Amino acid sequence: MIAAPPNYVFSIFAFTGFLMCCIPFPWHLQAWNTGTCLYMAWTGLSCLNLFINSVVWNTTAINYAPVWCDISAKFIVGVAVAIPASSLCINRRLYHIASVRSVTITHAEKRRGIMVDLAIGLGIPIMEMILQYIPQGHRFNIFGEVGCFPFTYNTPVAVVIVMVPPIVIGLISAVYSILAIRAFNKSRSQFKELMSSNKNLNTNRYIRLMCLAGIETLLTVPLGCYALYRNILVGQIQPWRGWEDTHLGFSRVDQIPAILWRMNPDLQGNLEMGRWMSVVCAFIFFFFFGFAEEARKNYRSVVQSVAKRVGVSSGSFSSGMFSSSGYVVLGFILAIRN
C-alpha cells in the first residue's frame, strides 16, 4: 500500500491553494488579464471544490448530497481541460504581444481578444462537461476522504472525448509557447516600446506569465499521455456497444470507503495525483505572482488602509516594510473580502 499523508493535510493545502488564487485575483481582474483570471478562477474553485469534498466525506462515503455531487463531479471533468485551456490563452496572448507589428491596439482588438479567450477558457470546458455525458457509465462515485468523483466508462469514445482533449490543448499551448519565445527573442529591441503601450504588462510579468504557462504545459502533456497509456495499455478498454448499454443503470452511485480504495495502489495513485494537481497549480501560480512587485504594492496598499482604520500610523508601511505580521494577516483577509 502506498504511504499517503493524512486527509487533513490535503484539506489544509487545498484551502490554502484556494486563498492563494483569491488574493491576487482582484488586481488581475482590473487589468483585464483574461487568461490569467481564468487560470486563477478554475484553479481556485477546483481547490475549493476538493477541499469541501475532503471535509464532508472525511470519514465516510455516504451519499449525503447527491445534487452537490452531480455538480462537483462535472466540475472536476471541466477542470481537467480548463486549466490547460487557460494556459493556452496565456501563451496565445504572449505570442500575439511579442509578434505584433504595431504598438497601438484598438479597443475592438482588445474586445475580440477577450472574447476568443473566453471561448477557449470557458467554452471548451463547458463543452467537455456536456460531452462527458456520452461515455458516463453512471451518475458518480463517492470515495471516502476524496468525496464526489466522476465516472467515465472506459471505452474508445471516452478516450476521444475525455482523455485526448487535455493532451491536444497542451500541445497547442506548447506550440504557442515556443512561438512566443522565438518572437520575444527576435523583437527584443522593440519589446520595451511594446510594453510601454501596454499598461497592464511589463517585461518581468511577461516572463513570469511565460514560465507559468510553460510549466503547466510541461505538466499537462506528460501526465495526460501517462493517463492515456494507463487506460489503453494497462486498463481494460471495453468496446462501445451503444448509448443504452453505456447508460444502463445510470442512476447508480458507487460508494467506496477509504480503507478499500487505498488497498488498490493504482486507484490510490490516480485519485491522489488527480486531486493534488490543482493544489500544485495554485502553489505554482502564487510562487510567480504572489510575491511580485505589483503584489507587494497591493499588499502594502491594503495594509495601509487597515492601519488607518484602526488608528495606527502608516508611515512605516510607506517604506515598503511590514512591521507587524498581524497587519499582514488583516490585509490578506481584507483583500479576499474585497
Side-chain angles (χ1 to χ4, degrees):
M1 186 181 300
I2 301 174
N7 190 50
Y8 70 83
V9 173
F10 173 81
S11 299
I12 293 172
F13 274 87
F15 189 71
T16 303
F18 167 67
L19 295 181
M20 285 179 170
C21 292
C22 285
I23 291 170
F25 189 81
W27 59 81
H28 281 278
L29 185 61
Q30 290 175 358
W32 285 102
N33 296 327
T34 316
T36 313
C37 288
L38 286 169
Y39 187 96
M40 284 187 286
W42 282 110
T43 304
L45 291 175
S46 177
C47 289
L48 180 62
N49 176 44
L50 295 169
F51 164 75
I52 293 173
N53 283 340
S54 68
V55 171
V56 174
W57 284 277
N58 181 43
T59 59
T60 183
I62 298 175
N63 190 9
Y64 288 125
V67 176
W68 163 262
C69 279
D70 284 328
I71 299 171
S72 176
K74 279 296 180 183
F75 188 79
I76 292 173
V77 171
V79 166
V81 297
I83 295 179
S86 300
S87 295
L88 171 57
C89 292
I90 296 172
N91 278 324
R92 178 180 168 276
R93 179 176 180 240
L94 295 179
Y95 166 69
H96 285 297
I97 290 174
S99 61
V100 70
R101 299 303 180 197
S102 172
V103 297
T104 304
I105 301 176
T106 65
H107 289 291
E109 290 174 333
K110 289 181 180 179
R111 186 165 55 250
R112 185 163 56 250
I114 291 173
M115 296 302 294
V116 172
D117 285 343
L118 291 176
I120 296 172
L122 280 180
I124 293 178
I126 291 173
M127 183 175 66
E128 177 70 14
M129 295 182 206
I130 296 172
L131 292 177
Q132 190 264 345
Y133 181 72
I134 298 174
Q136 183 180 350
H138 58 258
R139 196 169 174 184
F140 53 82
N141 291 336
I142 297 179
F143 295 94
E145 298 184 359
V146 173
C148 316
F149 209 79
F151 176 80
T152 302
Y153 192 38
N154 198 12
T155 63
V157 175
V159 171
V160 174
I161 293 178
V162 178
M163 302 174 200
V164 171
I167 301 174
V168 173
I169 294 172
L171 290 174
I172 296 173
S173 183
V175 171
Y176 269 111
S177 181
I178 295 170
L179 292 175
I181 294 172
R182 288 184 58 189
F184 174 76
N185 289 329
K186 285 183 178 180
S187 60
R188 276 188 178 182
S189 58
Q190 301 176 344
F191 206 73
K192 289 185 179 180
E193 186 180 3
L194 291 172
M195 292 298 101
S196 65
S197 68
N198 195 325
K199 297 180 180 179
N200 300 324
L201 193 64
N202 53 44
T203 304
N204 189 16
R205 184 181 290 184
Y206 183 96
I207 294 174
R208 281 186 278 119
L209 282 169
M210 189 181 296
C211 291
L212 171 68
I215 290 175
E216 199 285 323
T217 301
L218 290 176
L219 290 174
T220 297
V221 176
L223 290 176
C225 291
Y226 175 74
L228 188 62
Y229 162 79
R230 296 285 301 178
N231 279 277
I232 293 179
L233 298 181
V234 180
Q236 296 181 350
I237 290 189
Q238 304 298 320
W240 173 260
R241 296 189 179 94
W243 181 274
E244 293 185 359
D245 177 76
T246 300
H247 294 87
L248 183 66
F250 183 81
S251 60
R252 187 178 89 250
V253 174
D254 289 347
Q255 302 168 60
I256 305 98
I259 193 173
L260 293 182
W261 66 261
R262 288 195 181 278
M263 294 175 64
N264 185 330
D266 288 337
L267 179 58
Q268 179 180 357
N270 290 337
L271 288 175
E272 291 288 3
M273 183 177 66
R275 67 173 183 163
W276 275 98
M277 281 310 301
S278 293
V279 178
V280 170
C281 289
F283 274 78
I284 291 175
F285 175 83
F286 198 78
F287 173 78
F288 283 113
F289 292 93
F291 305 103
E293 181 180 351
E294 68 270 16
R296 295 196 301 269
K297 180 180 177 181
N298 281 278
Y299 298 155
R300 192 157 48 244
S301 176
V302 171
V303 172
Q304 288 174 347
S305 176
V306 173
K308 289 180 181 179
R309 293 184 185 183
V310 298
V312 177
S313 174
S314 60
S316 60
F317 301 119
S318 61
S319 63
M321 299 294 292
F322 292 133
S323 60
S324 170
S325 61
Y327 291 134
V328 176
V329 175
L330 287 173
F332 278 8
I333 294 173
L334 184 61
I336 295 168
R337 290 179 60 187
N338 291 338

